[in-house]
Amino acid sequence: MNSISIIICVNDAEDTICQTFESLMNQTVKNKLFNLIVINDGSRDSSGAIIQRYSNEFSNFTFIDRKSNKGVVLSMNEGIKQVTTDWFMRLDPDDTLKKDAIEQFLKVVNDHYDLILSNRVHVKCDKKEIIKVSSNIFSWIGCGVLIKTKNAKKISLYSSVFWEEFDFYTRYFQEGFKRYHIIDLPLYEYLIRENSITSSSESRKKGFEELIRIYGKETLRKYGYEGKDYFK
């Protein structure tokens, strides 16, 4: 049985989803060595047709096609419920994986870890910057992180908060799933959009205020929160 599933939640991504699929097709390992779960979350463009076309290129492909938009949290949770592998990773439909990404992750997958991630590349206005990942979970992103499926299900998957990934990581660590490994290679290319909901200072401020209300600053500091504004 395969050990890794990739989950992609898609909403109106016709301009970028092809390059995401191509990055998976061009992996150094055969695509039969990983499962792919794609949720079309009520797209109004041609995303659904594009997904359907690419589904024939993969050996283990699950396609959930919804007519209404439910958002990334409900879509991810629906995708995780379809996972039959020990590990899963979220991949956004405007991001890509380096050619050897899955190969590198497969090399270190074992029961000693609860979570595996790598350095990443930020892509902004055609400029690329390598980001070295640290132990501060608030400098991580929601994508490109390999998560143990049974652990995610134990903490009841994602919750509907502004920064669902930071909330998830906090609960994950609180449950004792703290054994992580960082691959010292930039394996994930992350597109930063100027009009992203998380790109404004006001949105980021509200996001952290919500986390502070839920967990308190002392708890967040245990996992790296420094009281500063992230993702400038």
Short mmCIF file of all heavy atoms in Angstrom, two decimals, residues 3 9 21 36 40 48 62 64 69-71 75 105 114 134 138 143 160 173 176 184 197 204 215-216 231:
data_model
loop_
_atom_site.label_atom_id
_atom_site.label_comp_id
_atom_site.label_asym_id
_atom_site.label_seq_id
_atom_site.Cartn_x
_atom_site.Cartn_y
_atom_site.Cartn_z
N SER A 3 2.13 5.02 0.96
CA SER A 3 2.22 5.64 2.28
C SER A 3 1.84 7.11 2.28
O SER A 3 1.63 7.69 3.34
CB SER A 3 3.65 5.50 2.84
OG SER A 3 4.60 6.06 1.95
N CYS A 9 -7.37 21.04 -2.89
CA CYS A 9 -8.70 21.66 -2.86
C CYS A 9 -8.72 22.78 -3.89
O CYS A 9 -7.91 23.71 -3.82
CB CYS A 9 -9.00 22.21 -1.47
SG CYS A 9 -8.91 20.97 -0.16
N PHE A 21 -0.62 20.02 -11.47
CA PHE A 21 -0.68 18.63 -11.91
C PHE A 21 0.61 18.22 -12.63
O PHE A 21 1.10 17.10 -12.43
CB PHE A 21 -1.89 18.42 -12.84
CG PHE A 21 -3.19 18.26 -12.13
CD1 PHE A 21 -4.30 19.01 -12.51
CD2 PHE A 21 -3.33 17.35 -11.09
CE1 PHE A 21 -5.52 18.86 -11.87
CE2 PHE A 21 -4.54 17.19 -10.44
CZ PHE A 21 -5.63 17.95 -10.83
N LEU A 36 -3.67 10.47 -5.02
CA LEU A 36 -4.04 11.86 -5.27
C LEU A 36 -5.54 12.03 -5.06
O LEU A 36 -6.34 11.30 -5.66
CB LEU A 36 -3.64 12.26 -6.69
CG LEU A 36 -3.85 13.73 -7.09
CD1 LEU A 36 -3.13 14.67 -6.14
CD2 LEU A 36 -3.34 13.94 -8.52
N ASN A 40 -13.00 19.48 -6.13
CA ASN A 40 -13.42 20.67 -6.87
C ASN A 40 -14.51 21.35 -6.04
O ASN A 40 -15.65 20.89 -5.98
CB ASN A 40 -13.95 20.31 -8.25
CG ASN A 40 -14.34 21.54 -9.04
OD1 ASN A 40 -13.78 22.62 -8.85
ND2 ASN A 40 -15.31 21.39 -9.93
N GLY A 48 -13.07 22.07 -13.12
CA GLY A 48 -13.59 20.71 -13.07
C GLY A 48 -13.22 19.90 -14.28
O GLY A 48 -12.81 18.73 -14.17
N THR A 62 -8.63 10.12 -6.79
CA THR A 62 -9.99 10.27 -6.28
C THR A 62 -10.45 11.69 -6.57
O THR A 62 -9.79 12.65 -6.19
CB THR A 62 -10.05 10.01 -4.77
OG1 THR A 62 -9.61 8.67 -4.49
CG2 THR A 62 -11.47 10.19 -4.24
N ILE A 64 -13.53 14.41 -6.11
CA ILE A 64 -14.78 14.81 -5.47
C ILE A 64 -15.21 16.11 -6.14
O ILE A 64 -14.53 17.13 -6.05
CB ILE A 64 -14.59 15.03 -3.95
CG1 ILE A 64 -14.11 13.73 -3.29
CG2 ILE A 64 -15.88 15.52 -3.32
CD1 ILE A 64 -13.70 13.89 -1.84
N ASN A 69 -19.65 25.82 -3.13
CA ASN A 69 -18.38 26.10 -2.46
C ASN A 69 -18.55 25.98 -0.95
O ASN A 69 -19.41 26.63 -0.35
CB ASN A 69 -17.90 27.50 -2.84
CG ASN A 69 -16.63 27.89 -2.11
OD1 ASN A 69 -16.68 28.56 -1.09
ND2 ASN A 69 -15.50 27.47 -2.63
N LYS A 70 -17.71 25.15 -0.32
CA LYS A 70 -17.77 24.96 1.13
C LYS A 70 -16.53 25.49 1.84
O LYS A 70 -16.49 25.51 3.06
CB LYS A 70 -17.96 23.47 1.45
CG LYS A 70 -19.28 22.90 0.99
CD LYS A 70 -19.45 21.46 1.45
CE LYS A 70 -20.80 20.90 1.02
NZ LYS A 70 -20.97 19.49 1.47
N GLY A 71 -15.51 25.89 1.09
CA GLY A 71 -14.31 26.43 1.72
C GLY A 71 -13.25 25.38 1.95
O GLY A 71 -13.51 24.17 1.90
N SER A 75 -13.41 21.25 2.82
CA SER A 75 -12.88 20.47 1.70
C SER A 75 -11.71 19.60 2.15
O SER A 75 -11.63 18.42 1.79
CB SER A 75 -12.43 21.41 0.58
OG SER A 75 -13.52 22.11 0.03
N PHE A 105 10.60 13.01 0.51
CA PHE A 105 9.72 12.75 1.65
C PHE A 105 9.64 11.26 1.95
O PHE A 105 9.66 10.83 3.11
CB PHE A 105 8.33 13.31 1.39
CG PHE A 105 8.19 14.77 1.73
CD1 PHE A 105 8.24 15.74 0.74
CD2 PHE A 105 8.01 15.18 3.04
CE1 PHE A 105 8.11 17.09 1.04
CE2 PHE A 105 7.88 16.53 3.36
CZ PHE A 105 7.94 17.49 2.36
N ASP A 114 5.99 12.57 13.63
CA ASP A 114 4.56 12.89 13.54
C ASP A 114 4.28 13.84 12.39
O ASP A 114 3.12 13.96 11.96
CB ASP A 114 4.09 13.55 14.84
CG ASP A 114 4.27 12.64 16.05
OD1 ASP A 114 3.78 11.50 16.00
OD2 ASP A 114 4.89 13.08 17.03
N SER A 134 12.14 26.82 10.25
CA SER A 134 12.65 26.71 11.61
C SER A 134 11.67 25.92 12.47
O SER A 134 10.66 25.40 11.98
CB SER A 134 12.85 28.11 12.21
OG SER A 134 11.60 28.71 12.47
N PHE A 138 4.69 28.97 13.53
CA PHE A 138 3.98 30.09 12.93
C PHE A 138 4.72 30.68 11.73
O PHE A 138 4.27 31.63 11.12
CB PHE A 138 3.72 31.16 13.98
CG PHE A 138 2.88 30.64 15.12
CD1 PHE A 138 3.47 30.33 16.34
CD2 PHE A 138 1.53 30.39 14.96
CE1 PHE A 138 2.71 29.81 17.38
CE2 PHE A 138 0.76 29.88 15.99
CZ PHE A 138 1.36 29.59 17.21
N CYS A 143 0.59 24.09 3.54
CA CYS A 143 0.85 23.17 2.44
C CYS A 143 2.28 22.63 2.49
O CYS A 143 3.15 23.20 3.14
CB CYS A 143 0.64 23.88 1.11
SG CYS A 143 -0.90 24.79 1.02
N SER A 160 -12.75 25.53 11.74
CA SER A 160 -13.10 26.71 10.95
C SER A 160 -12.67 28.00 11.65
O SER A 160 -13.49 28.72 12.25
CB SER A 160 -14.59 26.73 10.66
OG SER A 160 -14.95 25.64 9.85
N PHE A 173 0.32 19.74 18.29
CA PHE A 173 1.41 19.72 19.27
C PHE A 173 0.88 19.54 20.69
O PHE A 173 1.49 18.83 21.50
CB PHE A 173 2.24 21.00 19.17
CG PHE A 173 3.32 20.95 18.12
CD1 PHE A 173 3.06 20.52 16.83
CD2 PHE A 173 4.62 21.33 18.43
CE1 PHE A 173 4.05 20.46 15.87
CE2 PHE A 173 5.64 21.27 17.47
CZ PHE A 173 5.35 20.84 16.20
N GLY A 176 0.49 16.15 21.78
CA GLY A 176 1.74 15.41 21.99
C GLY A 176 2.42 14.96 20.72
O GLY A 176 3.45 14.27 20.76
N ASP A 184 16.23 19.54 4.67
CA ASP A 184 16.97 20.77 4.37
C ASP A 184 17.13 20.97 2.87
O ASP A 184 18.24 21.15 2.35
CB ASP A 184 18.34 20.74 5.06
CG ASP A 184 19.02 22.11 5.05
OD1 ASP A 184 18.30 23.12 4.90
OD2 ASP A 184 20.25 22.16 5.18
N ILE A 197 -6.12 36.85 0.87
CA ILE A 197 -6.80 37.28 2.10
C ILE A 197 -5.83 37.36 3.27
O ILE A 197 -6.04 38.09 4.23
CB ILE A 197 -7.98 36.33 2.41
CG1 ILE A 197 -8.86 36.92 3.53
CG2 ILE A 197 -7.48 34.94 2.82
CD1 ILE A 197 -10.13 36.16 3.77
N ARG A 204 -3.91 39.55 8.98
CA ARG A 204 -2.97 38.79 9.81
C ARG A 204 -3.19 39.11 11.29
O ARG A 204 -3.17 38.22 12.14
CB ARG A 204 -1.54 39.10 9.39
CG ARG A 204 -1.15 38.55 8.03
CD ARG A 204 0.35 38.62 7.82
NE ARG A 204 0.83 39.99 7.80
CZ ARG A 204 0.96 40.73 6.70
NH1 ARG A 204 0.61 40.20 5.54
NH2 ARG A 204 1.41 41.96 6.75
N TYR A 215 -6.27 30.20 22.58
CA TYR A 215 -5.22 29.46 23.29
C TYR A 215 -4.47 30.28 24.33
O TYR A 215 -3.87 29.69 25.25
CB TYR A 215 -4.21 28.90 22.28
CG TYR A 215 -4.82 27.95 21.30
CD1 TYR A 215 -5.08 28.33 19.98
CD2 TYR A 215 -5.20 26.66 21.67
CE1 TYR A 215 -5.65 27.46 19.07
CE2 TYR A 215 -5.78 25.78 20.78
CZ TYR A 215 -6.01 26.19 19.48
OH TYR A 215 -6.59 25.33 18.59
N GLY A 216 -4.46 31.60 24.20
CA GLY A 216 -3.66 32.43 25.09
C GLY A 216 -2.24 32.55 24.59
O GLY A 216 -1.71 31.64 23.95
N PHE A 231 4.55 36.74 7.75
CA PHE A 231 4.23 36.76 6.33
C PHE A 231 4.11 38.17 5.77
O PHE A 231 3.16 38.51 5.09
CB PHE A 231 2.95 35.98 6.03
CG PHE A 231 3.07 34.54 6.32
CD1 PHE A 231 2.37 33.97 7.36
CD2 PHE A 231 3.91 33.74 5.58
CE1 PHE A 231 2.49 32.62 7.65
CE2 PHE A 231 4.04 32.38 5.86
CZ PHE A 231 3.32 31.83 6.90
#
